Amino acid sequence: MAKGARGDFDGGDGRDGRERRLWRLDQDSLSERVYETLRRSIISGRFAPGERLIENALAEELGVSRAPVREAFRKLAAEQLVEERPRYGTYVREFTAKDFVDTYNLISAIESLAVRLIVRRQSSLEELHRITEEMTEAAAQGDLHRVIEIELEFHRELCSSAGNHQLDNVFRLLSGMVGMALSLDDATYEDISQIAAEHYPLLDALREAIDTGREEHAVFTIRSHIRASLEEVMGRLGGKPSEVLYPLVYPEDVE
C-alpha cells in the first residue's frame, strides 16, 4: 500500500522525525461526518421543521468548507429529510398528517414482525435494556434531543435483534423519517421521563413472550406502544388519530 495514500495510515516519519500514529482524514470521510452531524440534528429536532439551512453559516459553525455541507444536503434530500427549493435554498422537511400516518403505520407493521422473530429466535434483550437505561438517564437530565436520538436507537436495535437482514435494511432506509416522526411525538410530552418509562413494559412483554413462546401479547404491546400518544401530534398536524391503525390483536385475546 502506497505511503500517504488518501485515507490510508501513514507510517512514515513526520517533519519532526517522529512516526505518525493517526489515520489521515480524506474529503470523503469529512463529508460523511458532516452528513451524520446534520442528520442527527435534524432528526432530534435541533433544527425545526421548515427551518432554512444556510450553507455558509453551517460550514462556519462546523469549521469546514462549503463542499461537504453541499454534499450532505444532497444526501439528506435523497432521504427526504430536507427539501431543496430552487432559488430559495434548503429547508428541513415539514411533516404532514399523511406523512405521520404513513410512517407510523409502516413502522408498526415492521416492528410487529421484528417482535415475532425476536420471540421465535429467543434473542437477547440485554442491549435493548441498556439502551432503555441510557434513555432514562438522558430524560432525567432533561435532554429531549438526546432522548429522541436514543429512542430511535432502541427501535433500530429492536429490528436488528430480529436477525433478519432485509428487515434491518428496511428500517435503516426509513430511520430518518421514523426519527422525525418520533421527534414530533416526543415533543408533546410534558414529562419526558415518561418517554423512557413507556419502553419498560415492552421489554417485560418481550421477556414473557420469550419465556412462554406466546408472541401475541408482545405484538399487541409494541403496536400499542407505537400508537400511545398520537392525539396531540395528529391534532396539531390537522389529521385524525384513527388513521393510525389499531393493533389487530385485542387485549382479551392475549391475557
Side-chain angles (χ1 to χ4, degrees), residues 172-205:
R172 290 178 186 277
L173 288 172
L174 295 170
S175 63
M177 297 289 284
V178 173
M180 291 189 76
L182 289 174
S183 180
L184 285 170
D185 194 354
D186 289 352
T188 66
Y189 284 77
E190 292 184 5
D191 180 4
I192 63 174
S193 66
Q194 293 179 7
I195 300 171
E198 289 175 358
H199 290 75
Y200 289 103
L202 175 56
L203 290 174
D204 291 341

Side-chain angles (χ1 to χ4, degrees), residues 102-188:
D102 289 350
T103 300
Y104 263 50
N105 278 337
L106 187 55
I107 199 63
S108 180
I110 289 171
E111 294 195 358
S112 294
L113 175 59
V115 164
R116 296 183 68 189
L117 292 172
I118 286 171
V119 172
R120 294 187 181 199
R121 72 194 298 262
Q122 297 192 314
S123 301
S124 170
L125 303 179
E126 183 177 344
E127 183 64 10
L128 285 169
H129 185 268
R130 183 199 66 76
I131 293 170
T132 305
E133 292 288 296
E134 187 178 351
M135 197 188 318
T136 301
E137 293 175 8
Q141 296 168 6
D143 190 344
L144 175 61
H145 299 308
R146 182 63 183 143
V147 168
I148 294 167
E149 290 173 350
I150 299 170
E151 185 176 16
L152 180 60
E153 183 183 353
F154 178 96
H155 289 275
R156 184 186 298 117
E157 177 61 26
L158 184 75
C159 290
S160 180
S161 297
N164 183 312
H165 294 305
Q166 298 303 326
L167 174 63
D168 194 23
N169 288 337
V170 168
F171 183 87
R172 290 178 186 277
L173 288 172
L174 295 170
S175 63
M177 297 289 284
V178 173
M180 291 189 76
L182 289 174
S183 180
L184 285 170
D185 194 354
D186 289 352
T188 66

